[in-house]
Amino acid sequence: MAKLVFGMNLSLDGYVDHQEFGPDPALFRHWIDHVRDLTGSIYGRRIYEVMRYWDDNHPEWTPEQRDFAMAWRSLPKWVVSRSLKSIGPNATLVMDDVEVVIRGLKTRLAGEISASGPELAQSLTDLGLIDEYRLYFHPVVLGHGKPFFTGRRPPLRLVASDRIGGEVIRLTYVPA
């Protein structure tokens, strides 16, 4: 049975915004390894559209960026959206029966499946489908933006904390 994990970079005040801060080299290497080890990934529409950047090669990329792109492209993806009509390679569009589809993936697959996108994660939290939350805190205060938890925070129990790279602390929680 697969474990569904929601993890994202966020500011100290709880906002996710890929344009306001980025990973240092050690954290970027962590994300490359993380994506390589995943069984699959479930995306909400908005974050999937951001991540589609990795579908195309860019001549200015570093070797690490090429490594991430290769790992991301090979990863099976499920995209939850009612508005998208088409999606990129190695992806499946999920328009209806999200709970049934995700429960099926968790039952059928082994390993970790990542959930990406705060709104999608809130829907999956409300359905009791998220098994673990990984919050990657950066030493930045934004004061606005998209919160990591878009609704009521579920009761959680801290199971791990660790430093990744020079400035990021990852807190790992499971539902209490």
Side-chain angles (χ1 to χ4, degrees):
M1 183 164 190
K3 175 168 63 169
L4 187 59
V5 175
F6 173 49
M8 291 187 80
N9 296 309
L10 67 154
S11 64
L12 291 175
D13 54 347
Y15 296 104
V16 298
D17 189 334
H18 71 282
Q19 294 179 327
E20 292 291 335
F21 51 87
D24 67 15
L27 180 59
F28 195 66
R29 173 55 51 195
H30 166 83
W31 285 114
I32 294 167
D33 294 341
H34 171 72
V35 170
R36 277 191 185 132
D37 291 341
L38 289 171
T39 296
S41 192
I42 302 163
Y43 289 93
R45 180 192 56 82
R46 286 183 191 95
I47 192 72
Y48 177 71
E49 289 175 334
V50 168
M51 294 301 290
R52 288 291 312 269
Y53 168 80
W54 299 103
D55 274 339
D56 299 316
N57 290 320
H58 298 267
E60 72 278 5
W61 277 354
T62 65
E64 291 78 15
Q65 289 171 312
R66 282 193 279 291
D67 284 349
F68 184 87
M70 287 177 45
W72 191 80
R73 290 173 192 165
S74 68
L75 184 67
K77 295 171 262 312
W78 294 269
V79 181
V80 177
S81 174
R82 289 195 177 101
S83 62
L84 288 175
K85 300 302 179 219
S86 66
I87 50 178
N90 207 15
T92 302
L93 185 59
V94 178
M95 297 181 83
D96 297 305
D97 300 324
V98 174
E99 181 177 8
V100 171
V101 170
I102 304 307
R103 285 193 191 282
L105 292 173
K106 287 180 68 172
T107 301
R108 190 170 79 249
L109 301 174
E112 279 189 9
I113 301 170
S114 72
S116 298
E119 282 126 358
L120 173 64
Q122 187 63 49
S123 296
L124 299 176
T125 294
D126 293 344
L127 294 169
L129 293 172
I130 304 240
D131 299 299
E132 192 169 286
Y133 299 83
R134 296 179 188 155
L135 291 76
Y136 292 78
F137 283 100
H138 290 251
V140 175
V141 175
L142 297 179
H144 60 85
K146 176 79 61 189
F148 183 89
F149 291 104
T150 61
R152 227 186 58 198
R153 184 181 59 81
L156 300 173
R157 180 173 53 84
L158 180 67
V159 294
S161 64
D162 52 327
R163 186 175 181 162
I164 301 173
E167 298 183 331
V168 172
I169 299 293
R170 176 178 62 185
L171 301 179
T172 304
Y173 293 90
V174 295

